[in-house]
Amino acid sequence: MSVALAESPILSFLNNAGLLNAGGSLLTQVGGVNYPTYQDSAGATPLPNPIPLNSRGEISNSSGISCQLFLQTGIQYAFTLFDSLGNQLWTASDVMAIAPIAVGNMTDEKGSGGQVGFVNGVDFTAGTTTSLTLSQNYGSASNLWVAFDGVEQGGDTYTLSGNTLTFNAVIPVGTNKVYVKGGTALTVGTPGTNTVGIANFSFPVFGPTSARPVPQSIGQMYYDTTLGQSVVATAVSPAKWQNVVGNYDHVNVLQFGADPTGVADCTAALTAAIASCPTNQVNIYFPAGTYYFATQQTITMTSTQTNPAGLAIRGAGSGITLFKFAAASSGFTILYGSAWTGVRVEGISFLSPTAGGNAGLTLEQNATFATGQGQYSLSTMRDLEFRGSDGFNETNYWGNCCSVLGASNINWYDCTFYGPTGTPFGAGISLGYAPNDHTIIPVVYNLDGCSFTHLQSGLVYGGNCQGVTVSKCNFTGNFVGIIVPNTAVAPDQLTVNSSQFANINDSVLFQVFCQAVSFVNCFFLVLNNSVGINAAQMANLSIVGNIFSTANGSPVNQQGVQIGTYEQGAGVITGNQFNGLTIAIALLAASQFVNVQSNCYSGNGTNVNNAGTNNTIGGGSQ
């Protein structure tokens, strides 16, 4: 009987306090990409990744049951250990499986007395015998170790034929024992089923898409250097590969035949990429390139409160990943299906093929009802560019760059919106009704670091919308920067701060009253025959700490602030600067309850023109 030290059957880990790392996790990766491990020696049942550590700090499956950890042989893993709070404890690279070593059976030949070694006078005669008979065939003399009384004999002093060991000369006089140790020959031939893995290079394990091998089995991995990520075989004949999805990995449209040169229609590739994703967890990536779509792309997400949906469409960056379309009716439309759909679109330029037409991106709530405003999922639009396919401020433009129809809780970060050359046309962001249910009150919109250039309207605050915040944005060369149109029903809660305006007509225009409105720390460059803030109808208005300045040496009909018909609440205009305008503040006849005080005026034709009633000019109010 022989024994050997056993490996640790179940791995466990400690945290920084030296205690069992209960509730922690172990992330396993190869080349920065998550790579599978298994709980069985056959590699049939993968472990979660990251691998959860149970209450004993041991490797466990998703049910918390302790498991052994099996790695793919020949693969160099990187392990990262986290504690129960997600803090990284350590990272270990070049972690590999312990591969079994196959050796032949080593045997000490025994003499007729059953003892190790052949004995003089019993098994041979010193000075006479030239050969010995061994118990088995060792295949080759090189598989033997031979010694005369402990003196090793060179391999060139004997030969082996079958079981017969023959010496070149007689065994010398005085030799008491001949020791022979042999190892059985290993059979070399075709490996058995499932005995050859990645380490044996029976197929290429990485390379470009064009070099993908025919997979030997479902589950075979391959690192695709064209896509920059791992793929896994899901079928052998015909061969089918799928991106590894999970832990923020995405589905790359190039895998499904998308053309990044802008020539072939990418509709089928996008459809196949979406179909490959888990239900309600769509994460699509478009690498650098131009992608052409011959028809409008409509993506429908179906979700419930207990089964929410998430959709992400990502590019490599605006100006780097470009979407171009065939006709004015083109563009992307995303149908939310319920209040529990979250959408993320980022890093893409949407190029309009014509002068006007459809929206570049439409976010539509197509449910027949929606839940309360506090339960809407978050949607994020980041680093998006909307312009014509012929360039910046050229002939082509979108009718609506981004159209929102009833969808709620949407953030725009670092997005740019361009109209055409000549007369401004199109809208940047248009907020409107849900087509299927006008009773839906869409809420919560945040614009941060966005630019609106040469559009008919930068932001259209319409429909039943409520709760808009505009921060650090630029509205330049538009006919109107922000408009609350006369079609809007009960708009509510508009906050604009730290933004800049220089527009052809009014920078901000309220055609219907919108209550709870504030403008703080903004800059308004006022052109001839235009108004900085034109509140044709006023309710609960606060204008604080802004700068209104003329854009012309000889101003013609330039007004900083104009307040029209009183609707409800009161207004305050304070702490602002007005420079070189025709009229700094115009309170029209229908205005009421506006408190104007503590502003700075210089070079204006008229500082305050108060034609209304119940307004307070200068001094305090109670």
Side-chain angles (χ1 to χ4, degrees):
M1 179 181 71
S2 63
V3 296
L5 183 67
E7 300 174 27
S8 177
I10 303 290
L11 295 177
S12 63
F13 300 88
L14 302 179
N15 59 25
N16 282 340
L19 304 175
L20 290 174
N21 192 17
S25 62
L26 183 70
L27 178 67
T28 64
Q29 297 183 309
V30 173
V33 177
N34 290 5
Y35 213 81
T37 61
Y38 303 89
Q39 59 180 288
D40 61 311
S41 59
T45 307
L47 287 164
N49 197 6
I51 303 169
L53 306 180
N54 60 21
S55 59
R56 292 189 294 274
E58 295 177 343
I59 296 290
S60 65
N61 58 24
S62 56
S63 299
I65 300 174
S66 297
C67 299
Q68 290 181 275
L69 177 61
F70 293 90
L71 311 181
Q72 292 189 29
T73 57
I75 296 296
Q76 292 184 333
Y77 286 78
F79 283 6
T80 304
L81 182 68
F82 299 91
D83 64 17
S84 60
L85 299 177
N87 299 311
Q88 180 177 317
L89 302 183
W90 51 253
T91 295
S93 58
D94 300 327
V95 181
M96 298 185 69
I98 300 174
I101 302 174
V103 297
N105 295 324
M106 300 301 293
T107 303
D108 286 305
E109 287 289 326
K110 298 177 181 179
S112 57
Q115 299 299 313
V116 174
F118 297 93
V119 179
N120 183 26
V122 179
D123 302 307
F124 69 92
T125 301
T128 301
T129 301
T130 59
S131 64
L132 298 171
T133 301
L134 307 181
S135 63
Q136 56 185 300
N137 181 1
Y138 292 97
S140 171
S142 61
N143 292 332
L144 299 177
W145 176 84
V146 179
F148 294 165
D149 290 332
V151 178
E152 184 177 355
Q153 303 300 300
D156 59 351
T157 64
Y158 53 84
T159 60
L160 181 66
S161 177
N163 289 38
T164 302
L165 173 63
T166 301
F167 298 99
N168 296 345
V170 296
I171 299 173
V173 175
T175 302
N176 294 313
K177 267 192 174 185
V178 176
Y179 295 96
V180 179
K181 184 187 290 288
T184 56
L186 296 177
T187 301
V188 179
T190 303
T193 302
N194 296 324
T195 62
V196 177
I198 293 175
N200 304 95
F201 294 100
S202 56
F203 49 80
V205 297
F206 69 92
T209 302
S210 59
R212 283 185 189 172
V214 175
Q216 297 180 347
S217 62
I218 294 175
Q220 176 180 320
M221 300 291 293
Y222 178 80
Y223 184 78
D224 191 311
T225 55
T226 302
L227 304 180
Q229 66 180 75
S230 293
V231 295
V232 61
T234 57
V236 174
S237 182
K240 183 178 180 181
W241 298 86
Q242 178 174 308
N243 286 42
V244 177
V245 178
N247 280 41
Y248 307 104
D249 289 342
H250 50 246
V251 174
N252 191 314
V253 293
L254 295 184
Q255 178 188 348
F256 298 91
D259 175 17
T261 68
V263 177
D265 183 15
C266 294
T267 298
L270 175 59
T271 300
I274 293 173
S276 73
C277 293
T279 302
N280 281 349
Q281 296 175 359
V282 178
N283 191 350
I284 308 297
Y285 177 62
F286 287 81
T290 300
Y291 299 86
Y292 169 71
F293 296 96
T295 59
Q296 179 175 317
Q297 303 301 301
T298 300
I299 302 172
T300 301
M301 301 299 294
T302 303
S303 61
T304 65
Q305 188 170 10
T306 57
N307 185 25
L311 167 68
I313 301 176
R314 294 181 170 91
S318 61
I320 301 173
T321 297
L322 311 174
F323 285 0
K324 73 174 188 177
F325 304 89
S329 60
S330 301
F332 268 63
T333 295
I334 299 172
L335 302 178
Y336 277 53
S338 80
W340 300 285
T341 297
V343 175
R344 176 180 289 270
V345 184
E346 63 181 38
I348 299 169
S349 292
F350 290 80
L351 310 183
S352 173
T354 59
N358 200 27
L361 176 63
T362 299
L363 307 173
E364 179 179 330
Q365 178 60 262
N366 69 331
T368 56
F369 67 94
T371 187
Q373 58 201 42
Q375 297 182 12
Y376 289 117
S377 296
L378 175 66
S379 292
T380 299
M381 311 294 120
R382 186 185 299 273
D383 184 24
L384 301 180
E385 178 183 83
F386 297 86
R387 61 175 175 85
S389 58
D390 52 350
F392 295 86
N393 297 124
E394 293 296 330
T395 300
N396 296 339
Y397 64 93
W398 292 107
N400 288 309
C401 295
C402 189
S403 178
V404 179
L405 301 175
S408 288
N409 206 2
I410 304 173
N411 293 339
W412 286 267
Y413 298 103
D414 307 324
C415 297
T416 54
F417 308 84
Y418 296 94
T421 188
T423 303
F425 281 112
I429 298 174
S430 178
L431 307 177
Y433 291 109
N436 292 343
D437 189 348
H438 283 196
T439 65
I440 294 176
I441 300 177
V443 297
V444 187
Y445 304 99
N446 298 298
L447 287 64
D448 191 287
C450 298
S451 295
F452 303 82
T453 304
H454 224 250
L455 298 155
Q456 174 72 22
S457 304
L459 170 64
V460 181
Y461 187 177
N464 290 345
C465 299
Q466 299 181 4
V468 176
T469 298
V470 178
S471 181
K472 301 188 295 292
C473 293
N474 276 269
F475 297 82
T476 306
N478 307 288
F479 191 72
V480 177
I482 299 175
I483 183 171
V484 180
N486 53 21
T487 56
V489 177
D492 197 356
Q493 303 164 20
L494 170 64
T495 297
V496 183
N497 66 78
S498 306
S499 296
Q500 300 193 45
F501 298 82
N503 299 281
I504 297 171
N505 193 10
D506 300 337
S507 282
V508 180
L509 174 61
F510 294 85
Q511 293 183 331
V512 297
F513 83 94
C514 177
Q515 62 180 348
V517 175
S518 64
F519 292 86
V520 181
N521 296 336
C522 296
F523 175 72
F524 294 85
L525 190 63
V526 184
L527 279 67
N528 285 338
N529 300 306
S530 68
V531 181
I533 300 175
N534 187 348
Q537 292 186 287
M538 191 279 292
N540 301 107
L541 184 67
S542 178
I543 302 174
V544 179
N546 305 281
I547 298 174
F548 299 83
S549 182
T550 179
N552 308 90
S554 301
V556 176
N557 193 25
Q558 294 180 4
Q559 299 184 43
V561 177
Q562 182 184 98
I563 304 296
T565 304
Y566 167 80
E567 289 287 345
Q568 62 184 52
V572 61
I573 303 173
T574 186
N576 304 282
Q577 298 180 39
F578 298 90
N579 304 308
L581 304 170
T582 307
I583 301 176
I585 302 172
L587 305 179
L588 302 185
S591 66
Q592 292 191 70
F593 305 111
V594 180
N595 188 328
V596 179
Q597 60 176 304
S598 302
N599 297 291
C600 295
Y601 307 95
S602 63
N604 303 295
T606 300
N607 290 335
V608 180
N609 184 355
N610 181 18
T613 57
N614 300 316
N615 296 318
T616 301
I617 310 301
S621 63
Q622 297 181 2

